[in-house]
């Protein structure tokens, strides 16, 4: 018997959760359920996090969390509880299987079977945003080595356990050489440890186009957070409906299972929603906690229900579907099919060793880190970069040099183009003539700038790690 935490969520949440729990019970899942209240009611009761401390205690104690979708109220500074839960509980891996069930659910991609593994904690979803000038706002994209190692190793281990043949990595490292570059580099490093699994890297733009057009070319795809968020919805949708896909959010201690879709408020309370996405999440949960036979039994009953053409409105198709049913009736049909297997679709077998034993991250020895300059970001309403250069030069000491000025990453000084559009957000790169820079210089530069009314809105240190410059050049530099 495993105790799990359940949240019925908002919108269609309670209906699809009731349907799912009924199926789990009838299939013989050994679960003790502890229910918590999260989401809209809690938000609107004045808790901007959407969850109480007592509920956190329950989730952390039980470690396994089955969650229906939640409505995040618009405006009012409410934080998405999904993102908060993933980060608080260290749920670094988001696993989203996207498989078509052709010819029973209409899809342009009959043989699609793609497993998307999305990094779940960092990237732009760290949500560190600032307005820096009148015209420019910023969102920090954070990618860490432990973050990359954990998710990429997870992808290869999962692929190995599931008998998958290939792991593909999507990044945009031709542009983001540091952040996406690290993700790609770690992918190449870890791929070597799995010679039995094919590996490849695609630039995300053409990779995404290929995925939407020819998903059968892919097997497992591992991606940083934002790309994974977008492309897993695309992948689920092209199997037939987002209403069919479930997801697992896995951490070292806790895990959360859910549908990938939201609370569909317009469909709430009408007994029309498809509970399949949440049911798929619940099946992943059963495999995770070692109730693999029950998981397989439910999956086969579900596949048979799909095959029987008993469909909810979102996948109902005249000529293919046999019977249009509501949420409850769909659950009844799955329950009636428990113990049976599909005849055209391939039945699933009970999985073994469903939990992955991944090694703990081991921090590497620190590299030799040398400071060689600083980027000063300046809020300046002028338009001529030459004038800004003349304004900034007086803050430098005799050993320092203004190397370049960029605007939105494009070099505009020296030798800029007059055609380049400039905002009020400028980066002045300063280095030492003799190559040796000190932290103290930054403080002195800030002081001199302040004395001359130059509005520095942030600084970034320019480092070399083991002699290699660890910052991007200006475009055109
Ligand atoms: P949504 O996924 O809730 O709904 C989009 C549309 O998809 C619906 O109008 C409906 O037509 C269809 N749909 C979705 N799930 C379905 C199902 N199970 N059966 C049948 N049809 C289904 O997306 P949205 O409208 O953008 O978001 C609504 C709310 O859900 C928002 O408050 C959002 O913040 C929240 N949300 C929550 C989660 C989560 O809890 N994990 C995820 C995404 C969105």
């Amino acid at each position: 018997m495993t105790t799990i935490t359940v949240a019925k969520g908002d919108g269609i949440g309670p209906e699809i959760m009731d349907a799912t729990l009924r199926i789990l019970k009838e299939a013989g899942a050994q679960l003790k359920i502890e229910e918590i209240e999260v989401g809209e009611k809690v938000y609107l009761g004045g808790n901007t996090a959407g969850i109480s401390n007592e509920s956190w205690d329950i989730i952390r104690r039980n470690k396994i969390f089955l969650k229906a979708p939640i409505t995040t109220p618009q405006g009012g500074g409410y934080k998405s509880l999904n993102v908060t839960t993933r980060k608080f509980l260290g749920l670094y891996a988001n696993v989203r299987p996207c498989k078509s069930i052709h010819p029973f659910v209409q899809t342009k991609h009959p043989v699609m079977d793609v497993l998307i593994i999305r990094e779940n904690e960092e990237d732009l979803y760290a949500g560190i945003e600032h307005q820096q000038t009148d015209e420019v706002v910023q969102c920090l994209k954070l990618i860490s080595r432990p973050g990359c190692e954990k998710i990429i190793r997870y992808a290869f281990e999962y692929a190995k356990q599931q008998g998958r043949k290939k792991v593909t990595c999507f990044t945009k490292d031709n542009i983001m050489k540091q952040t996406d570059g690290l993700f790609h580099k770690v992918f190449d490093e870890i791929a070597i440890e799995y010679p039995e699994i094919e590996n490849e890297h695609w630039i995300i733009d053409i990779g995404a186009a290929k995925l939407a057009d020819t998903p059968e070319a892919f097997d497992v795809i591992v991606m940083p957070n934002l790309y994974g968020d977008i492309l897993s919805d695309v992948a689920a949708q092209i199997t037939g409906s987002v209403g069919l896909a479930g997801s697992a959010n896995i951490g070292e201690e806790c895990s959360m299972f859910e549908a990938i879709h939201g609370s569909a408020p317009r469909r709430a309370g009408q007994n029309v929603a498809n509970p399949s996405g949440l049911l798929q999440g619940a099946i992943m949960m059963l495999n995770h906690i070692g109730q693999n036979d029950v998981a397989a039994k439910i999956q086969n009953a579900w596949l048979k229900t799909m095959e029987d053409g008993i469909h909810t409105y979102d996948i109902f198709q005249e000529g293919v579907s046999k019977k249009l049913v509501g949420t409850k009736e769909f659950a009844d049909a799955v329950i009636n099919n428990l113990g049976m297997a599909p005849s055209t679709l391939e039945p699933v077998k009970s999985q073994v060793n469903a939990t992955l034993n991944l090694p703990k991250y081991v921090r590497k020895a620190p590299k030799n880190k040398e400071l060689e300059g600083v980027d000063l970001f300046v809020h300046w309403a002028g338009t001529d970069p030459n004038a800004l250069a003349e304004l900034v030069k007086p803050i430098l000491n005799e050993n320092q040099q203004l190397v370049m000025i960029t605007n939105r990453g494009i070099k505009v000084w020296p030798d800029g183009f007059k055609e380049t559009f400039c905002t009020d957000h400028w980066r002045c790169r300063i280095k030492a003539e003799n190559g040796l820079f000190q932290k103290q210089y930054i403080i002195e530069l800030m002081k001199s700038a302040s004395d001359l009314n130059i509005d520095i809105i942030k600084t970034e240190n320019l480092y070399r790690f083991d002699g290699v410059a660890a910052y991007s050049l200006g475009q055109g530099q």
Side-chain angles (χ1 to χ4, degrees):
M1 184 73 74
T2 305
T3 306
I4 64 165
T5 309
V6 163
K8 293 193 172 173
D10 302 313
I12 58 171
E15 297 160 72
I16 59 173
M17 183 59 89
D18 287 342
T20 299
L21 292 179
R22 214 150 51 80
I23 296 168
L24 296 192
K25 183 158 177 269
E26 294 296 329
Q30 297 298 301
L31 301 172
K32 182 167 173 278
I33 285 160
E34 215 172 331
E35 197 181 325
I36 57 166
E37 175 95 63
V38 296
E40 212 171 9
K41 270 200 216 132
V42 185
Y43 283 118
L44 299 177
N47 181 330
T48 51
I51 180 168
S52 69
N53 288 340
E54 294 72 42
S55 295
W56 276 127
D57 291 344
I58 294 171
I59 293 173
R60 291 168 77 190
R61 186 172 66 233
N62 294 333
K63 301 196 186 316
I64 307 290
F65 184 20
L66 181 63
K67 188 187 72 58
I70 287 165
T71 303
T72 311
Q74 296 282 314
Y78 300 109
K79 283 271 182 193
S80 157
L81 181 59
N82 299 310
V83 178
T84 312
T85 309
R86 289 170 192 154
K87 289 205 284 200
F88 261 154
L89 299 180
L91 309 180
Y92 65 92
N94 189 331
V95 182
R96 297 182 166 194
C98 302
K99 186 170 180 186
S100 39
I101 31 185
H102 176 81
F104 306 102
V105 174
Q106 208 203 16
T107 168
K108 294 181 183 125
H109 307 287
V111 291
M112 170 172 183
D113 181 8
V114 179
L115 185 75
I116 293 192
I117 298 196
R118 159 191 172 193
E119 198 289 318
N120 219 11
E121 291 181 287
E122 44 190 51
D123 193 356
L124 291 160
Y125 286 55
I128 306 173
E129 295 195 297
H130 299 95
Q131 177 161 4
Q132 297 184 322
T133 68
D134 290 314
E135 291 175 346
V136 175
V137 286
Q138 168 190 273
C139 178
L140 269 190
K141 171 159 168 149
L142 293 180
I143 300 280
S144 73
R145 178 168 270 275
C148 296
E149 283 193 14
K150 276 160 58 180
I151 192 66
I152 291 163
R153 200 173 289 286
Y154 189 93
F156 277 98
E157 282 294 324
Y158 199 89
K160 192 164 119 183
Q161 187 203 61
Q162 304 279 318
R164 299 275 185 156
K165 303 281 179 290
K166 182 170 78 172
V167 180
T168 304
C169 175
F170 281 3
T171 73
K172 187 78 183 172
D173 67 334
N174 53 331
I175 304 294
M176 284 161 279
K177 296 189 168 66
Q178 293 291 329
T179 48
D180 284 24
L182 177 63
F183 198 91
H184 186 177
K185 182 165 178 271
V186 171
F187 178 79
D188 288 345
E189 285 170 17
I190 290 179
I192 294 171
E193 297 175 30
Y194 298 86
E196 71 280 22
I197 298 172
E198 198 189 325
N199 70 82
E200 62 178 9
H201 172 268
W202 286 68
I203 298 290
I204 180 86
D205 39 10
I206 189 63
K210 181 82 176 171
L211 175 66
D213 182 62
T214 323
E216 55 279 10
F218 299 102
D219 192 346
V220 176
I221 313 179
V222 63
M223 284 179 264
N225 203 342
L226 176 65
Y227 311 144
D229 190 5
I230 298 168
L231 289 187
S232 57
D233 270 27
V234 172
Q237 181 67 32
I238 64 175
T239 65
S241 166
V242 278
L244 294 177
S247 96
N249 298 269
I250 308 288
E252 281 168 7
E253 291 207 16
C254 299
S255 38
M256 174 171 83
F257 301 85
E258 57 185 345
I260 76 160
H261 60 76
S263 56
R266 281 186 303 127
R267 310 281 178 189
Q270 298 156 42
N271 188 41
V272 293
N274 187 349
S276 297
L278 187 59
L279 184 66
Q280 289 303 317
I283 291 169
M284 292 170 91
M285 176 187 78
L286 291 173
N287 276 320
H288 185 79
I289 60 177
Q291 297 191 25
N292 312 83
D293 291 346
V294 188
K297 186 175 173 186
I298 300 174
Q299 181 69 348
N300 284 327
W302 179 77
L303 286 170
K304 179 157 186 344
T305 310
M306 287 286 138
E307 227 179 59
D308 291 346
I310 300 175
H311 292 168
T312 42
Y313 84 92
D314 56 316
I315 53 169
F316 188 86
Q317 172 100 35
E318 216 57 70
V320 179
S321 306
K322 299 272 170 7
K323 193 174 172 195
L324 175 64
V325 290
T327 315
K328 283 198 190 99
E329 296 70 29
F330 182 82
D332 292 340
V334 176
I335 290 167
N336 278 335
N337 283 336
L338 286 168
M340 290 189 253
S343 46
T344 308
L345 296 165
E346 198 185 338
V348 296
K349 293 195 193 70
S350 177
Q351 283 184 22
V352 277
N353 295 332
T355 16
L356 301 176
N357 278 321
L358 291 152
K360 284 247 180 242
Y361 171 73
V362 182
R363 184 168 283 168
K364 288 189 170 34
K367 290 184 176 169
N368 179 31
K369 180 176 160 190
E370 296 165 298
L371 186 64
E372 65 165 8
V374 67
D375 278 347
L376 299 181
F377 288 79
V378 179
H379 181 181
W380 184 63
T383 51
D384 177 7
N386 294 307
L388 179 60
E390 292 314 310
L391 201 65
V392 167
K393 277 180 185 167
I395 72 170
L396 309 178
N397 71 24
E398 62 288 352
N399 188 28
Q400 291 164 354
Q401 190 189 2
L402 179 64
V403 182
M404 67 163 186
I405 299 176
T406 68
N407 194 293
R408 292 186 299 173
I410 309 277
K411 189 191 74 167
V412 292
W413 182 94
D415 310 322
F417 286 9
K418 69 173 173 32
E419 293 86 347
T420 306
F421 182 82
C422 290
T423 67
D424 59 359
H425 187 272
W426 308 80
R427 172 177 61 164
C428 302
R429 175 159 291 177
I430 293 161
K431 289 190 173 177
E433 301 261 15
N434 61 7
L436 294 173
F437 207 83
Q438 292 172 19
K439 280 264 175 71
Q440 184 61 28
Y441 294 170
I442 302 173
I443 298 164
E444 288 160 12
L445 286 164
M446 297 279 285
K447 165 96 182 51
S448 311
S450 168
D451 291 345
L452 291 178
N453 268 334
I454 298 172
D455 184 6
I456 296 185
I457 39 109
K458 76 162 190 166
T459 65
E460 290 285 352
N461 299 355
L462 304 175
Y463 285 116
R464 295 178 89 84
F465 279 86
D466 281 353
V468 180
Y471 48 86
S472 56
L473 299 178
Q475 275 158 359
Q477 192 188 7

